[in-house]
Amino acid sequence: MTTLKDTVRQLHRKLLDSGLSELSRISIALLDEEHIRTYVDSTVGSVSLSHHSKRLNASLSLSQLVQTRKPRVVDDYSCYLEGKKDGANAWILKNKLLSSYTIPVFFSGDFLGFIFFNSKRKSYFDEQMLALLRDIVEEIQTGIYLERIMFDKIVSLSKFADKASEIRDKGTALHCIRLMELTRIISSHVANTVEITDREMYYLIKFSPLHDIGKIGIPDNILLKAGPLTPDEYAVMKRHVEYGLEMVNAVCDSKVRQHDAYQMIRHIIGAHHEMLDGSGYPNGLEASDINIFSRIVTVADIFDALTSERTYKKAWSVEDALYELNEMVQRNKLDPLCVEALVLYFNNVSEMESAASIDNRCVSAKSKDDSLHVRGNDMPFISA
């Protein structure tokens, strides 16, 4: 199956071979909740921009493009970016990409992201060049639309699950929202050490809320029980992984199943309760069998469960939750790099600031109970 990444790189090569040798870069950044995140980047002559994410409302110029819905041409970036030397701006200046052509992309009225063209020559994108790029822009837009249509099939399932969870249990719905931000924090750190593509990071963040979708199939007397589960109840609870995989399979047709996003979703749902020492479920996978995406969601899931109030427990403080995560690293249950990401993040912000930075709901500055309850598998008393 040809991916959007393949399409963009093939089109860029075609343009370079046709004589547009000064077209240095074609890139796509898609909207990831409130962030604009690199998705595909084809750059010649330098290392591509990767793992870049920025809140859309933090960029006045890009926000204005969304409001006007009109493309923008910058003839001399060195003047345009004077004084703006952070993130992507610093990368653009370092690589001497002096001119740009930016197109905001919309689908059925919804803003999806941007297409960026760059050149190392000033005033490269004149009227003649824009005319030459018109068909290329349309082809890339079509690729983005097709990607969106595929995502919508999965996102519709996610939205259904969110609403069903909200009706049954407000805490579960908010847990999914917070999980996305925690996943963003962890994956951004892990990507500095482990090879994760921008597309993979986009999928991981976007679909992390699907991890517990199978809980729709768990009876209320078990899902909402205000106390420890019995062994039989815990066995039923663990089946939410199986139910989640069945639901995704029912929604995703054969074409969607060929896309690498589908495999990402199966990892997220199927292995977010596996532990590195083999003590997790449903398959008792061990370290080498658990990929990094599942490990990231596992740590985000446990941290949020610990720091959130439940009917059966008070919320732990961030400090106590991080201590517990490190203890689980020592017991060879959690990925140390994923836990390190949260430790570094929360060490750099106060507990009050961290609560505000994760949708004002990610953590609670309450203390845990003195006793440590257990809900099977020698795990802390957390969301199953």
Side-chain angles (χ1 to χ4, degrees):
M1 180 178 182
T2 301
T3 65
L4 186 54
K5 170 186 173 182
D6 297 330
T7 298
V8 169
R9 292 186 174 178
Q10 289 169 6
L11 288 173
H12 193 186
R13 175 49 55 189
K14 178 181 177 182
L15 290 171
L16 292 172
D17 291 344
S18 70
L20 302 183
S21 58
E22 293 180 297
L23 181 62
S24 304
R25 178 184 182 232
I26 302 178
S27 180
I28 297 174
L30 296 184
L31 187 65
D32 156 26
E33 295 303 310
E34 299 175 353
H35 294 73
I36 287 295
R37 175 176 295 281
T38 51
Y39 187 76
V40 174
D41 193 290
S42 178
T43 302
V44 295
S46 59
V47 177
S48 296
L49 176 65
S50 62
H51 303 149
H52 178 69
S53 174
K54 185 174 185 178
R55 286 188 178 276
L56 179 59
N57 61 13
S59 174
L60 179 60
S61 61
L62 292 180
S63 296
Q64 288 174 339
L65 293 185
V66 176
Q67 292 172 3
T68 63
R69 299 192 173 209
K70 295 180 179 179
R72 177 192 71 191
V73 172
V74 176
D75 289 327
D76 186 355
Y77 243 131
S78 60
C79 296
Y80 185 80
L81 293 180
E82 186 174 355
K84 301 177 181 180
K85 298 182 179 180
D86 62 315
N89 294 331
W91 180 86
I92 288 170
L93 290 172
K94 177 182 177 181
N95 289 284
K96 297 181 173 58
L97 296 174
L98 298 179
S99 58
S100 75
Y101 175 36
T102 305
I103 306 99
V105 180
F106 295 83
F107 180 74
S108 298
D110 295 332
F111 169 67
L112 301 186
F114 298 100
I115 304 172
F116 299 99
F117 294 88
N118 294 93
S119 174
K120 293 186 177 183
R121 180 161 67 82
K122 294 180 182 180
S123 303
Y124 184 70
F125 298 99
D126 56 18
E127 290 299 323
Q128 181 180 0
M129 180 57 63
L130 297 187
L132 289 173
L133 292 176
R134 187 173 295 118
D135 289 344
I136 299 298
V137 170
E138 290 182 0
E139 192 166 348
I140 294 175
Q141 285 176 326
T142 298
I144 295 174
Y145 299 157
L146 293 175
E147 198 96 331
R148 171 60 183 262
I149 291 170
M150 185 207 69
F151 282 159
D152 278 350
K153 294 180 181 180
I154 303 170
V155 171
S156 63
L157 175 62
S158 182
K159 289 180 178 178
F160 166 77
D162 286 347
K163 180 54 64 175
S165 297
E166 184 178 354
I167 292 171
R168 294 183 69 195
D169 178 20
K170 187 73 173 178
T172 298
L174 295 179
H175 167 62
C176 291
I177 296 172
R178 295 188 299 265
L179 195 79
M180 293 182 71
E181 188 63 26
L182 289 166
T183 299
R184 180 180 288 110
I185 292 167
I186 298 171
S187 60
S188 296
H189 176 72
V190 170
N192 294 324
T193 303
V194 179
E195 185 175 351
I196 300 177
T197 69
D198 287 302
R199 287 164 42 255
E200 289 170 336
M201 194 176 296
Y202 181 86
Y203 301 151
L204 180 63
I205 295 168
K206 193 172 188 66
F207 297 126
S208 58
L210 286 170
H211 72 294
D212 272 342
I213 190 174
K215 285 187 175 179
I216 292 175
I218 303 301
D220 283 351
N221 66 307
I222 295 177
L223 182 65
L224 306 179
K225 184 177 180 180
L229 301 179
T230 67
D232 287 344
E233 289 171 335
Y234 187 61
V236 173
M237 177 65 85
K238 290 194 293 185
R239 295 197 67 186
H240 78 274
V241 175
E242 171 191 341
Y243 298 153
L245 292 173
E246 289 177 356
M247 292 176 68
V248 169
N249 285 339
V251 169
C252 298
D253 57 27
S254 59
K255 187 172 183 179
V256 174
R257 292 180 189 181
Q258 295 177 43
H259 200 284
D260 46 4
Y262 172 75
Q263 294 304 322
M264 170 76 73
I265 293 166
R266 288 190 60 84
H267 286 306
I268 290 171
I269 295 174
H272 72 281
H273 282 294
E274 300 286 1
M275 298 286 120
L276 299 185
D277 64 355
S279 65
Y281 67 85
N283 299 310
L285 301 179
E286 296 186 8
S288 60
D289 298 318
I290 307 172
N291 75 17
I292 190 60
F293 310 119
S294 303
R295 298 182 187 203
I296 289 170
V297 174
T298 297
V299 172
D301 188 31
I302 293 176
F303 177 83
D304 186 66
L306 290 174
T307 55
S308 300
E309 187 170 353
R310 296 287 190 265
T311 56
Y312 49 78
K313 63 176 271 295
K314 294 180 181 179
W316 292 25
S317 68
V318 170
E319 182 181 1
D320 288 332
L322 294 176
Y323 179 84
E324 179 60 28
L325 292 182
N326 276 313
E327 287 292 298
M328 295 179 73
V329 168
Q330 295 303 313
R331 300 200 301 272
N332 192 33
K333 292 183 178 295
L334 300 180
D335 187 291
L337 191 58
C338 297
V339 173
E340 179 184 77
L342 293 183
V343 172
L344 291 174
Y345 176 81
F346 287 106
N347 279 347
N348 288 328
V349 294
S350 69
E351 202 156 296
M352 183 176 297
E353 289 172 334
S354 64
S357 68
I358 307 179
D359 289 334
N360 293 316
R361 290 187 297 268
C362 183
V363 295
S364 174
K366 298 181 180 179
S367 298
K368 63 170 181 168
D369 288 332
D370 292 334
S371 58
L372 179 63
H373 301 280
V374 175
R375 190 180 260 194
N377 270 346
D378 191 33
M379 291 286 289
F381 193 32
I382 60 175
S383 169

